[in-house]
Amino acid sequence: MSETIQEPVSPLMGAVAEGALTVRELGPTGMISLRGELSDPAFAGPVTALAGCPMPDTWTVSGTGARALLWMSPDELLMLLPYGEAREAAPRLQAELDGQGLHALVQDVSDMRVRLQLQGPHMREALARLSPADVSPGAFRPGSLRRTRIAQAAAAIRLVSEEEAEVFCFRSVADYAFRLLGGAARNAPDFGYF
């Protein structure tokens, strides 16, 4: 019996909210959660080879576009790659790390998480309304990452540029996070924190 592969279904169907900034669901993204000793070259070698970028420093992101490594905690990374690659790449990477006798966990989480893009000059103000993280220009620079909350939902925020950020959250709270971010983006006259 052959396995039927279903096309991915985006939780928000590519929703877009326009206001003082644009909030957009980025659609299916390959995401692999990695746990292990990040400083061990035996772990880092296969991970960076698959990602196509170097290991990130603490609270940063390495890589751009469709391939990146996000530092999530002292023993955790989130790898971004094209959606179609994650399903086969995760077990291959796990087998490679196991073959080296490493204690590591590799899990395809592509269908568990959603990626929302915020674009516009008031992106920081919208994030500051919803998150306890310090998103001021001096504390949060392009290439940085914060694990935090968006109101009541766990999230990670990646600062791509001075006018673009990405919010990662669980698929189960995608609509909630999208509506919060869209609401925070609507009131342009009230902005002016930064």
Side-chain angles (χ1 to χ4, degrees), residues 50-136:
L50 177 59
C53 57
M55 293 291 279
D57 292 326
T58 303
W59 298 117
T60 67
V61 176
S62 175
T64 57
R67 292 190 174 279
L69 287 171
L70 288 67
W71 185 95
M72 302 299 275
S73 75
D75 69 343
E76 181 182 6
L77 298 172
L78 182 65
M79 181 186 297
L80 303 182
L81 65 167
Y83 182 87
E85 293 180 26
R87 184 182 181 105
E88 292 180 10
R92 247 189 1 257
L93 181 57
Q94 181 72 66
E96 186 173 351
L97 296 172
D98 288 348
Q100 295 186 54
L102 295 176
H103 180 69
L105 174 68
V106 180
Q107 185 68 47
D108 177 6
V109 295
S110 305
D111 295 326
M112 293 172 49
R113 303 213 175 126
V114 67
R115 189 172 162 204
L116 304 173
Q117 179 188 58
L118 285 77
Q119 284 186 307
H122 301 293
M123 172 268 307
R124 287 183 192 273
E125 284 84 352
L127 289 172
R129 289 177 171 206
L130 298 170
S131 173
D134 183 352
V135 295
S136 66

Side-chain angles (χ1 to χ4, degrees), residues 20-21 125-127 129-130 179-188 191:
L21 61 107
E125 284 84 352
L127 289 172
R129 289 177 171 206
L130 298 170
R179 288 173 186 266
L180 286 170
L181 292 164
R186 268 189 227 107
N187 304 314
F191 287 144

